[in-house]
Amino acid sequence: MNPENLFHLIARPIERESIRYTPAGIPVISARLWHRSQQMESGTNRNVEFEMPAIAIGDISKEFEKLSSDSFYLFKGFMATKSAKSRSLVFHITGISSIE
Amino acid sequence: MNPENLFHLIARPIERESIRYTPAGIPVISARLWHRSQQMESGTNRNVEFEMPAIAIGDISKEFEKLSSDSFYLFKGFMATKSAKSRSLVFHITGISSIE
């Protein structure tokens, strides 16, 4: 069994970069996502608000590029470090759904 | 609808602190989780390995305290910033399942 690493986040894409290409020709887009919600924790509602770095690699980067920065979407994917040497975590987006 | 923020991670608890109590008497435990997996991205398997900060607030902190640091568990919860002023993200654990 491959260990689960599954993140679902409804967020708005902000600070989007242009698509770049890896040496192998794979399209990549980096962005920041903005999220705000209330989450239930220990019987009370916690106000949650953050920005987080995200990356979309492959065909999904083209889909990401077309998103409106005024709208919210459901992003699905997994967490990973920015690089092998880095400890910073980045949300790797592998699926995008409209919610509006 | 409350915006989704859902993280599922199979990981091993490392660097666990002792339970502390908030001024309101709520138990809290902070820890780091270690994860390693392969995730499918753009048609290829990406090796993923990281440590991330986590926190368990309320009754679940007592459950977390009993976990073995030699075992893997499925943690469920949401992402939030460390504090209102911080941009660092922490995994807030609201559910723990045994997987072994």
Side-chain angles (χ1 to χ4, degrees):
Chain A
M1 181 205 60
N2 194 41
E4 192 166 341
N5 174 346
L6 178 76
F7 190 38
H8 286 188
L9 188 74
I10 289 181
R12 193 161 66 76
I14 56 175
E15 293 182 34
R16 202 169 347 172
E17 291 178 6
S18 299
I19 285 187
R20 63 183 189 275
Y21 290 83
T22 69
I26 297 168
V28 177
I29 194 166
S30 293
R32 292 183 71 81
L33 304 178
W34 180 77
H35 168 86
R36 184 161 64 185
S37 66
Q38 288 198 325
Q39 299 295 328
M40 185 61 73
E41 181 173 54
S42 186
T44 61
N45 273 312
R46 171 182 284 261
N47 291 316
V48 175
E49 180 177 348
F50 58 80
E51 283 181 30
M52 73 185 308
I55 192 167
I57 298 176
D59 291 341
I60 198 149
S61 62
K62 305 287 179 72
E63 199 180 327
F64 191 97
E65 192 183 32
K66 292 179 198 147
L67 303 181
S68 162
S69 57
D70 294 328
S71 297
F72 286 84
Y73 302 89
L74 171 58
F75 297 100
K76 297 184 181 184
F78 62 89
M79 298 296 292
T81 51
K82 254 186 187 122
S83 68
K85 288 178 184 168
S86 169
R87 297 186 77 171
S88 297
L89 292 171
V90 179
F91 179 20
H92 284 246
I93 296 167
T94 58
I96 303 170
S97 313
S98 286
I99 57 164
E100 292 173 290
Chain B
M1 183 206 61
N2 194 44
E4 193 167 342
N5 174 347
L6 178 76
F7 189 38
H8 287 188
L9 188 74
I10 289 181
R12 194 161 67 77
I14 55 174
E15 293 184 33
R16 202 170 347 173
E17 292 178 5
S18 299
I19 285 188
R20 62 184 189 275
Y21 289 84
T22 69
I26 296 168
V28 177
I29 194 165
S30 291
R32 292 183 71 80
L33 304 178
W34 180 77
H35 169 87
R36 184 160 65 184
S37 65
Q38 288 199 325
Q39 300 296 326
M40 185 61 74
E41 182 173 51
S42 186
T44 61
N45 274 313
R46 170 181 285 262
N47 291 316
V48 174
E49 180 176 349
F50 59 80
E51 284 181 29
M52 74 185 306
I55 191 167
I57 299 176
D59 290 342
I60 198 150
S61 61
K62 305 288 178 70
E63 199 180 327
F64 190 97
E65 193 183 31
K66 292 178 198 145
L67 303 181
S68 162
S69 57
D70 294 328
S71 297
F72 286 84
Y73 302 89
L74 171 59
F75 297 100
K76 298 185 181 184
F78 61 89
M79 298 297 290
T81 52
K82 251 183 190 125
S83 67
K85 286 178 185 167
S86 171
R87 296 184 78 171
S88 296
L89 292 171
V90 180
F91 180 19
H92 283 246
I93 296 167
T94 58
I96 303 169
S97 312
S98 286
I99 57 163
E100 292 172 291

